[in-house]
Amino acid sequence: MTVKLERRNGIAVVTIDNPPVNALGRAVREQLWSLVGELDDDASVRAVVLTGAGKLFVGGADITEFDRPVEPPGLPELIARIEAAAKPWVAAIRGVALGGGLEITLGCRFRVATADARLALPETTLGIIPGAGGTQRLPRLIGIDHAIQVVAENLTLGGARAIELGLVDRLVDEPLVDNAEVFAHEVLTRPLPAPVSHRPLAKADPVLLQEAETRIRRAARGAAAPPLALAALRFGLDHGFAAGMANERAVFLDLRASPEAAALRYLFFAERAALRPPDLRGVTSLPVGRVGVVGGGTMGVGIAAALRNADLPVVLVERDAASLARGMDALRAVRKKGRLSEQEAKGWIGGVTGAVGYEALADCDLVIEAVFEDLAVKRAVFAELGRICRPDAVLATNTSYIDPRLIAEGLPEPGRFIGLHFFSPAQVMKLLEIVPTPATRPEVLATAFDLARRLAKIPVRSGICDGFIGNRILRRYRAAAEQLLRDGAAAAAIDRAMRGFGFAMGPFEMQDMAGLDISFLYREAARARGETVPETPGDLLVRAGRKGQKTGGGWYDYAPGDRTPQPSSEAARILAPMLAPPQTLAPEAIVERLLAAMAAEGQAILAEGIAAIPTDIDLVEVHGYGFPRRRGGPMFQASRAANRT
Ligand code: 3H9
């Protein structure tokens, strides 16, 4: 049974025991449905305590059911039944009560929680809105302005805050159920409060609603659910509880079936699966206590910050005192601002040992090299690391292009070597490409995945190829964008189309920001090696000194101190010899062409075994390259397009 019942002197304790997260799947709903009737009919029961087994209350509706039609009994009906029960139900919450998990507590007459409880309605992150009364009952308990933040802005309330807002009636210690039982006996001595749905709702301040609307729309960046969650809440304000519930349900069901929600669900499961690759099941990772970082430049500092954010002690090594001082200053600057107390901030930076020379790394369990992207420089680093580090220490390179096998050549114990490709800024970007060499031992690979989990990153394993998964697709994407340009589309039209699709920036704006010279130098190096690399429009711009924002112009012009791209007649003149006569393409056609190019490269990457599964490619794009989350990724898009035809 996924729902357990125990009777203790007049109190029935109902425990949802549905691992891993006590989701409210059909079996749970069915059992709760019949228990409400059974307990109402049981004269020995005076009140009911509803709780979750294990470390959490309930993680929400069962998301795996969302690809199928709704299976009765529905959650809104179940919650209405609990709310209307003859015996009062008391929710006893430890850990998380999320989505439907929080909604079911709102149907209970009381809520008690431990201080570590976390209450939230994260539905909008899944492309839906709360669908079991969250938008209607919550404002009646905590007021409209706070409810807006929980319903449409994914605010999580801790136990203490929930008490302040009136969401929880009492904070209790463990043992939770014993204390909830005491609470239940106590409340039975007093008249019961009205069910939440019967409570009055104060009038909303129109200015506050307007501000919320603007804020939520801006933050949603085109995602449908957050503004609709607010709208559902407002509908209830204007039309009352019953109409509000009917409207909420209709919007919920509509969104549940939307491509956006399908994409977000797909990523939800892909992100969790990424942490546990099947072939590493049963492989024990190596203990990592102290981590060395070689190089105090942007990448090294970002990696050190990511490690400190996960509370790992760091040794940051530079080649001289001045570079080390710069690195340490940069680290202080990227420390999580605002969120740390003075004491915590001290501890954060105090966990970094700065050192000149490699000797300080002798005791590290893992060392990550983040020096200049040059094979000879990197090899020199690993020659030193091979000499100084313990033979069992894991040694990692943060290269983004260079073949890790070449970097590791000559390294003693090559089985401990691995590529860890972080993305800049490394303390922010979620993606970690993990690049084993054929010599890398499974425990070392497992250690890399374990590290990603500790750093709250999304790990994706990549085989060895030029640019690994992400930069390889990026190159193809840019090439396709340049081909569109050559065919006569305007850079501004291409950028606009991709922004419309959900990217923060289009491909040309992005290159102007990052600098056109890096890929130019890369092509030049290939040409110098004798490879045939045809001239690109980007080459023309760089040769004319237009390297992007940093030189005042690239594909666009930029006024000093202003990052707004302006159409450039100078760029047009330089590029003219390569471009076909101007033509107007529909934004959809532009998006289709560029997505198809990304997906085609993804297919090649899969065919070559560089990525194991399509979801890995989508995770790389979403977490490393700004692919809009609500679109799932290029492979997800391609599979949907294939299903349509
Ligand atoms: C909702 O409630 C809609 C309602 O408004 C209306 C309905 C009518 N369902 O994250 P973890 C799986 S929408 C099914 O690694 P943690 C997960 O895939 C829902 N499965 O654990 C993984 O499986 P596997 C609103 C779920 O301890 C395993 O559980 N709720 C669900 O780090 C462990 O997950 C949310 O959006 C689910 N709801 O974190 C909350 N949740 O082992 C979503 C998880 O096979 N969940 N799984 O890889 C979470 O945020 C976290 O899972 C949680 C636990 C904090 C609960």
Side-chain angles (χ1 to χ4, degrees), residues 507-518:
F508 297 106
E509 296 159 330
M510 188 166 76
Q511 279 190 70
D512 271 359
M513 195 187 69
L516 277 69
D517 46 336
I518 304 165

PDB file of all heavy atoms in Angstrom, residues 507-518:
ATOM      1  N   PRO A 507      22.732  34.884 -33.035  1.00  0.00           N
ATOM      2  CA  PRO A 507      24.110  34.424 -33.237  1.00  0.00           C
ATOM      3  C   PRO A 507      25.107  35.552 -33.531  1.00  0.00           C
ATOM      4  O   PRO A 507      26.262  35.457 -33.134  1.00  0.00           O
ATOM      5  CB  PRO A 507      23.995  33.478 -34.439  1.00  0.00           C
ATOM      6  CG  PRO A 507      22.696  33.806 -35.093  1.00  0.00           C
ATOM      7  CD  PRO A 507      21.804  34.319 -34.016  1.00  0.00           C
ATOM      8  N   PHE A 508      24.652  36.600 -34.213  1.00  0.00           N
ATOM      9  CA  PHE A 508      25.608  37.671 -34.552  1.00  0.00           C
ATOM     10  C   PHE A 508      25.855  38.584 -33.350  1.00  0.00           C
ATOM     11  O   PHE A 508      26.996  38.957 -33.077  1.00  0.00           O
ATOM     12  CB  PHE A 508      25.107  38.456 -35.774  1.00  0.00           C
ATOM     13  CG  PHE A 508      25.039  37.571 -36.988  1.00  0.00           C
ATOM     14  CD1 PHE A 508      23.812  37.128 -37.485  1.00  0.00           C
ATOM     15  CD2 PHE A 508      26.192  37.128 -37.610  1.00  0.00           C
ATOM     16  CE1 PHE A 508      23.746  36.274 -38.573  1.00  0.00           C
ATOM     17  CE2 PHE A 508      26.142  36.266 -38.701  1.00  0.00           C
ATOM     18  CZ  PHE A 508      24.908  35.838 -39.185  1.00  0.00           C
ATOM     19  N   GLU A 509      24.799  38.893 -32.620  1.00  0.00           N
ATOM     20  CA  GLU A 509      24.983  39.688 -31.390  1.00  0.00           C
ATOM     21  C   GLU A 509      25.901  38.941 -30.428  1.00  0.00           C
ATOM     22  O   GLU A 509      26.751  39.527 -29.766  1.00  0.00           O
ATOM     23  CB  GLU A 509      23.628  39.891 -30.687  1.00  0.00           C
ATOM     24  CG  GLU A 509      22.641  40.695 -31.487  1.00  0.00           C
ATOM     25  CD  GLU A 509      21.191  40.460 -31.040  1.00  0.00           C
ATOM     26  OE1 GLU A 509      20.865  39.362 -30.558  1.00  0.00           O
ATOM     27  OE2 GLU A 509      20.399  41.385 -31.195  1.00  0.00           O
ATOM     28  N   MET A 510      25.692  37.622 -30.357  1.00  0.00           N
ATOM     29  CA  MET A 510      26.490  36.824 -29.429  1.00  0.00           C
ATOM     30  C   MET A 510      27.971  36.879 -29.821  1.00  0.00           C
ATOM     31  O   MET A 510      28.839  37.057 -28.983  1.00  0.00           O
ATOM     32  CB  MET A 510      25.995  35.381 -29.438  1.00  0.00           C
ATOM     33  CG  MET A 510      26.632  34.521 -28.380  1.00  0.00           C
ATOM     34  SD  MET A 510      25.738  32.988 -28.199  1.00  0.00           S
ATOM     35  CE  MET A 510      26.273  32.089 -29.635  1.00  0.00           C
ATOM     36  N   GLN A 511      28.233  36.760 -31.116  1.00  0.00           N
ATOM     37  CA  GLN A 511      29.635  36.810 -31.552  1.00  0.00           C
ATOM     38  C   GLN A 511      30.244  38.171 -31.271  1.00  0.00           C
ATOM     39  O   GLN A 511      31.404  38.268 -30.882  1.00  0.00           O
ATOM     40  CB  GLN A 511      29.711  36.550 -33.052  1.00  0.00           C
ATOM     41  CG  GLN A 511      29.654  35.101 -33.409  1.00  0.00           C
ATOM     42  CD  GLN A 511      29.975  34.923 -34.878  1.00  0.00           C
ATOM     43  OE1 GLN A 511      31.099  35.116 -35.308  1.00  0.00           O
ATOM     44  NE2 GLN A 511      28.958  34.614 -35.653  1.00  0.00           N
ATOM     45  N   ASP A 512      29.457  39.226 -31.468  1.00  0.00           N
ATOM     46  CA  ASP A 512      29.978  40.560 -31.180  1.00  0.00           C
ATOM     47  C   ASP A 512      30.333  40.687 -29.708  1.00  0.00           C
ATOM     48  O   ASP A 512      31.291  41.343 -29.338  1.00  0.00           O
ATOM     49  CB  ASP A 512      28.943  41.640 -31.545  1.00  0.00           C
ATOM     50  CG  ASP A 512      29.092  42.096 -32.995  1.00  0.00           C
ATOM     51  OD1 ASP A 512      30.007  41.588 -33.687  1.00  0.00           O
ATOM     52  OD2 ASP A 512      28.311  42.964 -33.424  1.00  0.00           O
ATOM     53  N   MET A 513      29.546  40.042 -28.875  1.00  0.00           N
ATOM     54  CA  MET A 513      29.814  40.141 -27.441  1.00  0.00           C
ATOM     55  C   MET A 513      31.062  39.322 -27.074  1.00  0.00           C
ATOM     56  O   MET A 513      31.932  39.792 -26.361  1.00  0.00           O
ATOM     57  CB  MET A 513      28.613  39.654 -26.632  1.00  0.00           C
ATOM     58  CG  MET A 513      28.703  40.058 -25.195  1.00  0.00           C
ATOM     59  SD  MET A 513      27.410  39.304 -24.219  1.00  0.00           S
ATOM     60  CE  MET A 513      27.929  37.616 -24.252  1.00  0.00           C
ATOM     61  N   ALA A 514      31.138  38.116 -27.598  1.00  0.00           N
ATOM     62  CA  ALA A 514      32.251  37.228 -27.231  1.00  0.00           C
ATOM     63  C   ALA A 514      33.542  37.605 -27.948  1.00  0.00           C
ATOM     64  O   ALA A 514      34.632  37.308 -27.471  1.00  0.00           O
ATOM     65  CB  ALA A 514      31.877  35.787 -27.545  1.00  0.00           C
ATOM     66  N   GLY A 515      33.450  38.263 -29.098  1.00  0.00           N
ATOM     67  CA  GLY A 515      34.632  38.587 -29.896  1.00  0.00           C
ATOM     68  C   GLY A 515      34.746  37.641 -31.074  1.00  0.00           C
ATOM     69  O   GLY A 515      34.661  36.426 -30.912  1.00  0.00           O
ATOM     70  N   LEU A 516      34.944  38.218 -32.258  1.00  0.00           N
ATOM     71  CA  LEU A 516      35.028  37.385 -33.467  1.00  0.00           C
ATOM     72  C   LEU A 516      36.422  36.795 -33.660  1.00  0.00           C
ATOM     73  O   LEU A 516      36.625  35.909 -34.471  1.00  0.00           O
ATOM     74  CB  LEU A 516      34.697  38.237 -34.711  1.00  0.00           C
ATOM     75  CG  LEU A 516      33.233  38.446 -35.071  1.00  0.00           C
ATOM     76  CD1 LEU A 516      32.543  39.318 -34.049  1.00  0.00           C
ATOM     77  CD2 LEU A 516      33.126  39.088 -36.459  1.00  0.00           C
ATOM     78  N   ASP A 517      37.379  37.333 -32.908  1.00  0.00           N
ATOM     79  CA  ASP A 517      38.770  36.967 -33.168  1.00  0.00           C
ATOM     80  C   ASP A 517      39.112  35.540 -32.750  1.00  0.00           C
ATOM     81  O   ASP A 517      39.966  34.911 -33.368  1.00  0.00           O
ATOM     82  CB  ASP A 517      39.716  37.966 -32.501  1.00  0.00           C
ATOM     83  CG  ASP A 517      39.315  38.293 -31.066  1.00  0.00           C
ATOM     84  OD1 ASP A 517      38.122  38.143 -30.739  1.00  0.00           O
ATOM     85  OD2 ASP A 517      40.192  38.683 -30.284  1.00  0.00           O
ATOM     86  N   ILE A 518      38.409  35.008 -31.716  1.00  0.00           N
ATOM     87  CA  ILE A 518      38.800  33.675 -31.217  1.00  0.00           C
ATOM     88  C   ILE A 518      38.590  32.635 -32.318  1.00  0.00           C
ATOM     89  O   ILE A 518      39.490  31.876 -32.661  1.00  0.00           O
ATOM     90  CB  ILE A 518      37.999  33.293 -29.956  1.00  0.00           C
ATOM     91  CG1 ILE A 518      38.199  34.381 -28.897  1.00  0.00           C
ATOM     92  CG2 ILE A 518      38.408  31.933 -29.420  1.00  0.00           C
ATOM     93  CD1 ILE A 518      37.227  34.342 -27.751  1.00  0.00           C
TER      94      ILE A 518
END
